[in-house]
Amino acid sequence: MRTQVVIVGSGPSGLLLGQLLAKAGIDAVILEQKSKEYVLARIRAGVLEQGAAELIEEAGAAGRLRKEGLVHDGTEIAFNGERHRIDFKALTGKTVIVYGQTEVTRDLMDARTAIGVPTFYEALDVSLHDIETEKPLVRFRANGAVHEILCDYIAGCDGFHGVSRRSVPEDKLRTFERVYPFGWLGILVDKPPASHELVYVNHERGFALCSMRSKTRSRYYLQCRVDEHVEDWPDDKFWDELTRRLDAEALRNLQIGPSIEKSIAPLRSFVAEPMRFGNLFLAGDAAHIVPPTGAKGLNLAASDVAYLSSAFIERYNRNSSAGLDSYADRALARVWKAERFSWWMTQILHRFPEASGFDQRIQRTEFNYLFSSEAAQTALAENYVGLPY
C-alpha cells in the first residue's frame, strides 16, 4: 500500500489527526493494535479546554459534544474542610467542558467511518522501518496476512507503551520522569454528581475528587497506595473512605450506588525529547504523560495534533516543511508548561507519605496564598482552562 501519512494508534490523538488530515485532502491510514470495542472500553478523563473542543469541531465531530457537554465556569478546592471556588470565567473569560474521553473517541470514530477512510483495527506486530529516510515503511499483520505501507511520514499516537517511541534509537532520545508514591482509585457510578462543578479535596487522609461524566453519571477518586489493588476496595469501603474526606456540603449532596467501573491509575510525569526523529513524529502519550490532577492529558494530545496537522497541511498544500521542522520545539514548549502545572497541582493536593512537618506547613501556606490572592487564582485558572496554542 501507499499513503501520505501513517498514524499509529486510534486513541483521540490519532483519530483527531486523521480526521483533520482527511478534511484537508491528505491521505492517512490509521493502525490500531486493539479492537474497536477495546478502545471504546477505556475509561479516561473528561475535561476539555476550549481549544480542544474547537479542534474537535473543526474535525466535524462536535455534534454530541456541543449538545451533551457540561460547561463549567470554575472549580472548587477544599482544604481543612472549607471550600474555595476558582472562577475561571471571571478570571480569564474562558470555561472548560466536561465530556468523557470515551465519547470523544466514539464521535471521532463515527466521523471517520462516515467519510470512508481506512482504519486497521487489531493490527498486530506493527514495526516502523527507514524512518530516517524519505520513504518510511510500516509493516503489520492483520486478517492473517502481513501488510506493508510506504508513506511520507509516520505519526506515533500509540501511547506510552506503543511501538512508536520504542522505534527511536535509545541514544537519540532523552527522557525525564517523576513517579509519584501514590495512585488514584476511581469509580464510575450512575448517580447525579455531588456538585455541579469539580471539587478537589486535600484531606489529612489523602486526596479526593468529585467529578462527573454527565448530569446522571459521577466519577469519584481517592488517593491510594501504589501497592493496592481494585480487589482491596469493595464499594462499601470506597464510599466509607470518601465520606471521611469530603466536606459537609459535598456529603449532603453525595448519592452513593453500585460502581459500574473501578480502576487504579498510577501517577507519573514523563517527557521524551525530541518529539521528532527523522520522519517519525510523536504526539500525545507517546511523548509525554502528566498526572491527571491538572486535567491536561487529553488536552495536551489535542495541542500536539493542532501543531502537527497544521504542519502536514502546510507541507502538502504549500510545499513548505517549516511547520514540520518547528513541530517538536513548539509542542515541547507547551508540554513543559503543562507538566509544571500538573506537577504543582499534584504537589499541593496530595498527602505525600514522606512529607515532613516543614512540607506540610509549606503546603498550607500555598493554599493560604492561593485563596487570598487574585493573581494566584488567575494563574491557576489560566493554566487550567488552557494556554493558547
Side-chain angles (χ1 to χ4, degrees), residues 40 61 64 68 99-108 217:
L40 286 172
R64 285 204 307 139
E68 301 173 18
Y99 187 70
Q101 181 170 318
T102 302
E103 304 311 314
V104 172
T105 303
R106 189 188 310 278
D107 295 343
L108 289 167
R217 177 167 289 183

Side-chain angles (χ1 to χ4, degrees), residues 21-143:
L21 296 185
K23 289 179 74 68
I26 298 169
D27 293 335
V29 174
I30 296 181
L31 306 180
E32 169 57 50
Q33 180 184 17
K34 302 296 186 180
S35 69
K36 184 175 182 179
E37 293 72 26
Y38 181 94
V39 174
L40 286 172
R42 296 170 182 159
I43 303 296
R44 295 290 187 272
V47 177
L48 296 177
E49 299 170 1
Q50 284 188 7
E54 289 166 1
L55 203 62
I56 294 168
E57 187 143 33
E58 184 182 337
R64 285 204 307 139
L65 167 62
R66 292 305 184 192
K67 291 179 182 176
E68 301 173 18
L70 305 177
V71 177
H72 283 197
D73 293 343
T75 193
E76 296 192 87
I77 298 175
F79 180 68
N80 278 344
E82 295 184 5
R83 271 206 230 175
H84 300 263
R85 185 169 183 268
I86 309 297
D87 192 328
F88 300 153
K89 192 168 186 179
L91 293 166
T92 71
K94 296 181 179 180
T95 60
V96 294
I97 301 175
V98 172
Y99 187 70
Q101 181 170 318
T102 302
E103 304 311 314
V104 172
T105 303
R106 189 188 310 278
D107 295 343
L108 289 167
M109 281 182 176
D110 290 345
R112 187 166 180 82
T113 299
I115 59 177
V117 285
T119 302
F120 288 86
Y121 289 98
E122 300 181 82
L124 305 178
D125 302 325
V126 175
S127 57
L128 314 184
H129 305 270
D130 304 325
I131 57 179
E132 293 185 81
T133 72
E134 293 184 358
K135 294 299 176 187
L137 181 143
V138 180
R139 184 177 294 123
F140 65 100
R141 184 166 51 86
N143 303 317

Side-chain angles (χ1 to χ4, degrees), residues 276-351:
R276 176 185 184 177
F277 181 75
N279 283 319
L280 167 65
F281 298 82
L282 302 178
D285 288 0
H288 43 75
I289 299 286
V290 288
T293 329
K296 286 287 162 274
L298 176 57
N299 293 298
L300 263 188
S303 65
D304 289 350
V305 168
Y307 298 140
L308 191 53
S309 62
S310 64
F312 282 139
I313 293 168
E314 180 183 13
R315 165 66 182 83
Y316 287 110
N317 290 358
R318 300 208 296 271
N319 197 30
S320 170
S321 63
L324 293 175
D325 293 339
S326 64
Y327 165 72
D329 289 340
R330 291 183 71 199
L332 281 169
R334 197 172 195 276
V335 165
W336 277 111
K337 290 174 184 176
E339 291 281 354
R340 186 211 66 81
F341 176 67
S342 300
W343 165 84
W344 178 78
M345 288 280 284
T346 303
Q347 290 287 126
I348 69 166
L349 285 166
H350 292 78
R351 295 298 173 114

Side-chain angles (χ1 to χ4, degrees), residues 70 72 187-197 199 209-220 239 242 246 249-258 260:
L70 305 177
H72 283 197
I187 71 166
L188 202 61
V189 59
D190 277 331
K191 293 290 183 180
S195 174
H196 69 285
E197 294 178 336
V199 180
L209 173 62
C210 301
S211 184
M212 66 203 71
R213 291 294 175 269
S214 69
K215 292 181 179 179
T216 59
R217 177 167 289 183
S218 300
R219 182 75 164 164
Y220 295 100
W239 292 118
L242 181 65
L246 297 185
E249 182 180 353
L251 287 174
R252 284 195 298 271
N253 297 320
L254 179 66
Q255 296 188 37
I256 66 173
I260 58 175

